[in-house]
Amino acid sequence: MNDPQRHEATSAPLPDMASKIARIDSLCAAARILPVIRIEREADILPLADALAAGGLRTLEVTLRSDLGLQAIAELRKARPELCVGAGTVLDESMLADAVAAGAEFIVTPGCTQALLEAGIACPVPLLPGVSSASEIMLGYALGYRRFKLFPAELAGGIAALKAFRGPFGTVRFCPTGGLNPGNLRNYMQQPNVMCVGGSWMLEDAWVRSGDWQRITQAGSEALQLLA
Ligand code: 3PG
């Protein structure tokens, strides 16, 4: 992996948690919807991102679920600097380091471990840890985290869980992801402790496989209209 980004990242002063929270808030406010992307073919990287951007989705979570994830992040940072590109499905500290080196502007994880949360503090870009329970929120809260991905949102209690978390965790906000779709995303977004919503419903496998970029643009744009 090319090293200049890593050098730049490690030589710059490390942002504190308050500035990382502010950065997440501004990213999420601008995005409203965070598409969760899995790249299967190299040739899809730019057209897929362009299709989402044309529909208004310009903040992208590119997952490291495929071998092309890191390459896609690096390529998008270079070729589409107007987009905001983060890494998803970051499972451990080594994937976190790789994602930052590839140029990820933010990191999303499906769950949290103590080691990953600590690595997130020492990371130059904000980490949005995945949680599905009060105990996991408390693990992150103890280290200063106040913004989380609720995953898998529908299975973890959905809207009812978000309402319940508002009591004990008044300063915490979430990006619910997992099971969201055009039928429920508006209701999620209306929760006061939701900062944005995430998912892959606008990127159906069949559309990506057949290169139906128009359909993806339309699905993204319709989803944003639902939140307008
Ligand atoms: C994720 O990792 O965030 C999920 O795969 C996205 O969930 P969805 O596919 O149900 O939208």
Side-chain angles (χ1 to χ4, degrees):
M1 178 63 58
N2 222 346
D3 248 359
Q5 307 248 16
R6 189 188 290 262
H7 174 72
E8 183 187 296
T10 48
S11 58
L14 207 54
D16 61 15
M17 189 59 92
S19 37
K20 285 177 175 169
I21 290 171
R23 174 81 179 127
I24 287 179
D25 284 347
S26 80
L27 285 180
C28 292
R32 288 183 294 157
I33 296 173
L34 196 57
V36 177
I37 302 169
R38 174 190 168 100
I39 297 286
E40 292 293 352
R41 294 178 303 199
E42 195 174 347
D44 290 343
I45 297 172
L46 294 180
L48 183 51
D50 290 342
L52 290 166
L57 304 184
R58 298 188 189 90
T59 303
L60 314 179
E61 177 188 331
V62 178
T63 65
L64 305 190
R65 272 169 226 195
S66 79
D67 291 344
L68 291 167
L70 291 172
Q71 180 184 330
I73 292 167
E75 189 172 331
L76 287 169
R77 287 303 312 281
K78 201 166 158 205
R80 298 291 184 269
E82 68 279 13
L83 302 180
C84 179
V85 181
T89 318
V90 171
L91 304 181
D92 58 32
E93 305 87 276
S94 132
M95 289 170 84
L96 176 68
D98 287 345
V100 172
E105 295 172 89
F106 61 92
I107 307 288
V108 186
T109 68
C112 54
T113 64
Q114 183 78 21
L116 196 46
L117 290 167
E118 283 171 8
I121 292 172
C123 174
V125 297
L127 169 72
L128 192 63
V131 293
S132 62
S133 69
S135 296
E136 288 165 353
I137 296 169
M138 288 174 68
L139 193 63
Y141 195 96
L143 291 173
Y145 288 88
R146 299 291 183 271
R147 303 291 180 262
F148 298 93
K149 165 177 174 163
L150 177 66
F151 180 78
E154 280 285 278
L155 287 174
I159 307 279
L162 288 161
K163 284 186 199 290
F165 288 149
R166 275 181 71 197
F169 306 116
T171 57
V172 167
R173 297 177 75 209
F174 300 91
C175 170
T177 308
L180 272 69
N181 58 58
N184 62 16
L185 66 98
R186 203 184 150 116
N187 198 4
Y188 270 98
M189 199 63 178
Q190 282 168 347
Q191 304 309 308
N193 53 352
V194 167
M195 54 187 176
C196 70
V197 293
S200 64
W201 75 87
M202 77 301 285
L203 287 166
E204 281 193 18
D205 284 349
W207 304 346
V208 177
R209 267 199 305 272
S210 62
D212 195 349
W213 310 125
Q214 183 74 42
R215 197 89 178 262
I216 291 168
T217 298
Q218 193 186 328
S221 142
E222 282 171 3
L224 279 176
Q225 276 164 30
L226 284 171
L227 303 182

